[in-house]
Amino acid sequence: PLLQWQEKECEPFGLPWFSELLLKDEECERLSKVRDQLGQELEELTASLFQEAHKMVREANVKQANAEKQLKEALGKIDVLQAEVQALKTLVLSSPTSPVGELPSSVGGGKTPFRKGHSRNKSTSSAILGTQPDPSATQPIVRECKEVDSQLFSEFKAWKEEPTLDRSCCFLDRVYREDIYPCLTFSKSELGSAILEAVEQNTLSVEPVGFQPLPVVKASAVECGGPKKCALSGQTKTCKHRIKFGDSSNYYYVSPYCRYRITAVCNFFTYIRYIHQGLVKQQDAEQMFWEVMQLRREMSFAKLGYYKDQL
């Protein structure tokens, strides 16, 4: 055959050229398989790395979302905690051991403080000079007085014997009618009712606007207001705070006046909750009654338009 002849012809030159080609072809085929196997392994490794990277990114996003949610909830409780601290300060300052209670007696005691140096009789000097006496010298000293209303005090003592947060009792029914309802009556009546319900359930959060980015809310702009529009009054006001209900993602911007009306009601509920939970133990019934009257006075001032703005 021709192949055997060609092999015999190539024998003087070493390895037959046909066998060498076969070996090279086998080597190429083997290297091709190795290349395909390495390419497949590389592709699988790349896909695995991408999946792992996506998984890590997804877990990081979940952790970040949870951290942001916890941060918002913590910041949302700051204002409520500040109100509770203020109520506790009021309890401490109004206790019998506080030196603040001694101040009014020194003012209204009628004693004239001793002054060093020469003082001239104003009436004598006025007669000599032919002038009218100083009006400030004849003006009476006005001091703030208070007297316990027997009906209000009896209603409070009856409530204190069996404290409850049910608004149908005589004491709370009067406070609701005279202070709470007028204080939380706004142009947006539905939102005002929701605020009262959240205050009763202690689920209302109030937080400053400046420390939070603008949220993405589902409610309309008219409902939620904005940094320049109050959601409760509907008026164009600079809103420094915003409120939300529980774990809801909807925020409502409120003006300083509306915020003060809300916090005045929150302070009242904070104090009566302390009484209901038995946390107020160092005061007698009359002291506790005057603390309640002070909180009612703040609500009365707030509903009449007086408020304190935080700078």
Side-chain angles (χ1 to χ4, degrees):
L2 180 61
L3 181 59
Q4 294 180 355
W5 179 81
Q6 290 177 346
E7 290 179 354
K8 290 181 180 180
E9 290 293 330
C10 295
E11 285 180 357
F13 300 98
L15 185 67
W17 64 271
F18 188 75
S19 299
E20 185 177 357
L21 288 178
L22 291 176
L23 293 175
K24 289 184 177 180
D25 188 35
E26 292 177 358
E27 183 69 16
C28 290
E29 185 177 358
R30 186 181 66 81
L31 293 177
S32 178
K33 291 181 179 180
V34 172
R35 183 195 62 186
D36 294 340
Q37 184 178 0
L38 291 177
Q40 184 177 1
E41 292 179 356
L42 180 61
E43 185 177 356
E44 293 176 356
L45 179 61
T46 304
S48 176
L49 290 177
F50 271 109
Q51 291 179 358
E52 188 68 21
H54 283 299
K55 181 180 178 182
M56 294 174 62
V57 171
R58 183 168 59 254
E59 292 178 353
N61 291 334
V62 171
K63 292 181 180 180
Q64 182 179 1
N66 292 333
E68 291 178 354
K69 181 179 178 181
Q70 293 176 0
L71 177 61
K72 289 181 180 180
E73 292 176 354
L75 292 177
K77 296 179 181 177
I78 289 178
D79 201 65
V80 177
L81 293 176
Q82 288 179 348
E84 294 183 357
V85 170
Q86 184 63 32
L88 290 175
K89 288 182 179 179
T90 305
L91 294 177
V92 174
L93 293 177
S94 60
S95 61
T97 58
S98 176
V100 179
E102 301 176 359
L103 294 178
S105 60
S106 62
V107 176
K111 295 182 180 181
T112 304
F114 176 75
R115 298 179 180 178
K116 294 183 179 181
H118 174 69
S119 62
R120 184 174 57 180
N121 192 319
K122 293 185 178 181
S123 61
T124 305
S125 61
S126 300
I128 296 176
L129 298 176
T131 59
Q132 297 295 330
D134 189 0
S136 61
T138 59
Q139 289 181 357
I141 298 177
V142 180
R143 62 175 180 173
E144 185 179 3
C145 301
K146 58 184 181 181
E147 182 177 350
V148 175
D149 185 281
S150 59
Q151 183 177 358
L152 297 179
F153 187 54
S154 62
E155 292 177 355
F156 174 75
K157 285 198 303 182
W159 174 84
K160 179 179 174 297
E161 294 298 327
E162 296 180 359
T164 177
L165 299 180
D166 186 7
R167 64 174 70 177
S168 61
C169 67
C170 295
F171 167 66
L172 289 182
D173 179 66
R174 178 187 295 273
V175 178
Y176 268 92
R177 287 186 289 103
E178 298 179 358
D179 301 311
I180 296 177
Y181 287 143
C183 201
L184 293 183
T185 299
F186 302 99
S187 300
K188 306 295 183 179
S189 57
E190 295 182 359
L191 184 57
S193 301
I195 290 175
L196 176 57
E197 183 179 355
V199 172
E200 292 174 335
Q201 298 176 359
N202 200 18
T203 57
L204 183 70
S205 299
V206 183
E207 62 183 33
V209 175
F211 296 98
Q212 293 291 329
L214 294 179
V216 178
V217 295
K218 299 179 181 179
S220 63
V222 177
E223 284 183 348
C224 293
K228 297 297 182 180
K229 187 172 184 179
C230 179
L232 285 170
S233 63
Q235 299 178 354
T236 302
K237 300 289 184 180
T238 300
C239 301
K240 301 179 181 179
H241 293 78
R242 63 185 184 180
I243 62 175
K244 74 169 184 176
F245 306 115
D247 296 332
S248 174
S249 60
N250 294 340
Y251 287 89
Y252 301 87
Y253 291 82
V254 294
S255 62
Y257 168 52
C258 294
R259 172 192 170 273
Y260 187 75
R261 291 170 64 175
I262 295 172
T263 54
V265 178
C266 290
N267 291 338
F268 172 78
F269 274 97
T270 300
Y271 186 69
I272 65 172
R273 283 195 192 100
Y274 287 156
I275 300 177
H276 180 259
Q277 296 171 2
L279 299 178
V280 184
K281 299 179 180 179
Q282 297 180 354
Q283 292 182 324
D284 55 18
E286 185 173 350
Q287 289 177 324
M288 297 166 65
F289 171 77
W290 283 119
E291 291 296 336
V292 171
M293 293 301 105
Q294 176 65 27
L295 296 172
R296 290 189 62 182
R297 184 168 70 169
E298 291 182 5
M299 289 190 288
S300 299
F301 283 172
K303 71 184 180 182
L304 293 176
Y306 298 94
Y307 68 97
K308 300 176 183 179
D309 188 14
Q310 293 183 354
L311 300 179

